[in-house]
Amino acid sequence: MTETIIILDFGSQYSQLIARRVREAQVYAELLPWDSPEDQVMDLAPKGFILSGGPRSVYSPGAPSLPGYVIGSGLPILGICYGMQALVDALGGQVAPADEREYGLANLSIKQPSQLLQEGDDPRVWMSHGDRIEMPPEGFVILAQTGNSPVAAIGDQDRQYYGLQFHPEVNHTPAGGAIIQRFVREICGCAGDWTPASIINHAVSRIRAQVGDARVLSAVSGGVDSSVATALVQRAVGDQLAAVFVDTGLMRKDEGVWVDRAFRFSLGANLVSVAAAALFFDKLAGVIAPEEKRRIIGETFIRIFEDAAHNLGDPPFLVQGTIYPDVIESRAPERANAQRIKTHHNVGGLPDEMNFELVEPLRYLFKDEVRLVGEALGLPSELVWRQPFPGPGLAVRCLGEVTPLRVEKLRQADAIFTEELSRAGLLVYHPSRVGGDTGTAQAFAVLLPVKAVGVMGDQRTYEEVIALRAVTTVDFMTADWARLPEDLLARVANRIVNEVQGVNRVVYDITSKPPGTIEWE
């Protein structure tokens, strides 16, 4: 059985990052609401608990509290920010409003080295709190402090209880990954068995248990997620799987050729192609709202799959490449103060009634985990490290009405951008480059529903605008805009304006995530 760390979520915006850091230590983490029933939690046989931050104060009426079974379990506990305060409150300590709130970078001073915090750690930590520990519970000692936090870290090393006022899960705390690794590997005693090989073995077992001897239909788009999901299911059920590629007319340049080569020759899959561009453009005529686009595309996909399934003997199961960020951004786990950011085609865009039961082997994996699993499955590197492409395709990069003419403009501009990035060695296909200063984790063009005045050949023009988007990221939960070379951007802009009819202006998006999302819709 996989060793598990339970993260109880008190509503922090960073809760998913805690899960990622634990998994980076090759330990499986399950993120659950703070008020999850005891049997649901303890049935997972956890090796320890991490308590997330949250937006409340422990002394405010109705604030979430630490469930009694956590203390009763006798397992190691790490409380982070609000989680630390909830642990202190539950054990009889005192929490009160701080004289000065503390947000942003601070320098941590180690008062007493411990198994969790060590003298050689980078002292920079990320703070985000308005409360402070007035008195630690009996048995705790102060491990570290900052200028504004006399109690920045505490520990009861006999019971293996620890509390951190800062956030070790964010990149702004350079030693945070090492701190979390020490907790899960040394303090909780986890061996670190959450590897690509173990993920594959568990996924194969789950798929076989769900599917049995039934036929399975896989929705493929040529993207990383659907490719890895299909390969996983094929590993589990072999010839029971049939892959269906729907050419929506909303794909990137030469996408159909790429998909056919990748699935027929790289995966050896039974691939069925369906030409459906006319149907999708007809359904999308006059539609502008992003959520409505996603809903229409999701439902149309399913209806096409139902027709394809009928021709293939009505398989009762449908594979989708849903990954954890899709779930989080669409409707989020059941967690305090969680909000839906957008509906993903793979999640909230599906109709309520379908003739399929979904098989989602990647549902709780992050993007970087998906890629590592793909490599472990033996998929070609150029497929595994291909840049992500949204399920609804170019429809959500074609802002405003989706028409064949507008999509073709976008497709040409996107191909130019991709081609120039590739020539410059800035399309990332390997983890050592993802998130680097000279690479891009995702890059694409967006067609804006606005027109701008220009001058071309001594003639006044009034044509559409292309926005270029390129980001660096590892997990796709947060992202920063890529600092591309000026000469590259100039070359791309010049080519687009000269080669793409109907476009006379190019802009570059320098928005991070948050506050923006990676995609525009």
Side-chain angles (χ1 to χ4, degrees), residues 54 81-82 85 96 98 100-104 106 126-133 146 148-152 165-167:
C81 200
Y82 183 93
Q85 296 159 15
E100 293 184 30
R101 296 182 178 184
E102 195 172 20
Y103 297 99
W126 186 258
M127 290 287 192
S128 181
H129 67 100
D131 293 327
R132 63 189 287 178
I133 306 301
T146 67
N148 286 333
S149 291
V151 186
Q165 189 61 74
F166 60 90
H167 289 272

Side-chain angles (χ1 to χ4, degrees), residues 467-484:
L468 303 177
R469 176 71 159 152
V471 300
T472 60
T473 181
V474 172
D475 56 19
F476 291 82
M477 295 299 300
T478 60
D480 194 16
W481 60 279
R483 273 63 170 177
L484 297 180

Side-chain angles (χ1 to χ4, degrees), residues 189-434:
C190 294
D193 62 358
W194 183 247
T195 63
S198 71
I199 294 171
I200 291 170
N201 290 335
H202 286 289
V204 166
S205 296
R206 288 195 303 269
I207 293 165
R208 287 173 178 168
Q210 179 184 3
V211 169
D213 296 329
R215 296 288 305 281
V216 185
L217 193 65
S218 181
V220 301
S221 65
V224 176
D225 303 330
S226 66
S227 299
V228 175
T230 299
L232 262 177
V233 175
Q234 187 179 41
R235 171 73 63 90
V237 302
D239 292 340
Q240 293 169 230
L241 173 71
V244 175
F245 168 64
V246 177
D247 185 353
T248 63
L250 304 169
M251 313 306 289
R252 289 173 288 195
K253 185 179 179 182
D254 298 327
E255 194 80 21
V257 174
W258 166 263
V259 170
D260 188 77
R261 183 172 66 247
F263 281 89
R264 290 190 194 277
F265 298 103
S266 296
L267 297 180
N270 175 25
L271 182 69
V272 176
S273 296
V274 180
L279 176 61
F280 277 89
F281 281 118
D282 181 63
K283 295 281 188 180
L284 291 168
V287 177
I288 294 176
E291 288 295 279
E292 183 65 5
K293 289 180 185 178
R294 292 176 178 272
R295 185 196 66 77
I296 289 171
I297 291 169
E299 181 167 353
T300 305
F301 258 105
I302 290 299
R303 300 311 170 213
I304 291 173
F305 288 139
E306 287 173 347
D307 290 340
H310 182 68
N311 295 330
L312 293 168
D314 292 313
F317 293 96
L318 173 64
V319 180
Q320 285 215 313
T322 308
I323 64 173
Y324 201 24
D326 295 340
V327 177
I328 294 166
E329 293 186 350
S330 290
R331 56 174 180 257
E334 295 176 358
R335 37 187 300 266
N337 301 303
Q339 293 185 341
R340 184 176 73 182
I341 297 173
K342 61 184 177 181
T343 297
H344 280 263
H345 156 69
N346 284 357
V347 185
L350 297 177
D352 293 332
E353 296 183 5
M354 300 186 298
N355 294 332
F356 303 103
E357 179 180 331
L358 292 181
V359 179
E360 298 175 304
L362 312 178
R363 187 176 179 86
Y364 294 105
L365 298 184
F366 291 98
K367 177 71 76 172
D368 52 324
E369 292 176 311
V370 172
R371 294 187 191 276
L372 294 175
V373 167
E375 284 194 324
L377 286 167
L379 294 177
S381 179
E382 63 270 17
L383 177 61
V384 171
W385 295 100
R386 198 177 192 213
Q387 295 217 347
F389 189 59
L394 296 178
V396 291
R397 295 176 178 174
C398 183
L399 277 60
E401 187 175 7
V402 180
T403 68
L405 180 59
R406 297 192 75 231
V407 168
E408 185 55 33
K409 287 183 193 178
L410 174 58
R411 184 167 19 246
Q412 292 178 29
D414 184 77
I416 291 170
F417 190 27
T418 300
E419 180 182 318
E420 291 296 339
L421 286 169
S422 181
R423 286 178 177 173
L426 297 178
L427 278 180
V428 177
Y429 293 110
H430 194 275
S432 65
R433 294 281 305 283
V434 174

Side-chain angles (χ1 to χ4, degrees), residues 9-26:
D9 185 4
F10 288 93
S12 170
Q13 61 181 315
Y14 303 134
S15 294
Q16 292 80 25
L17 291 179
I18 301 174
R20 284 208 67 259
R21 298 296 174 253
V22 174
R23 293 190 190 182
E24 286 172 357
Q26 294 188 319

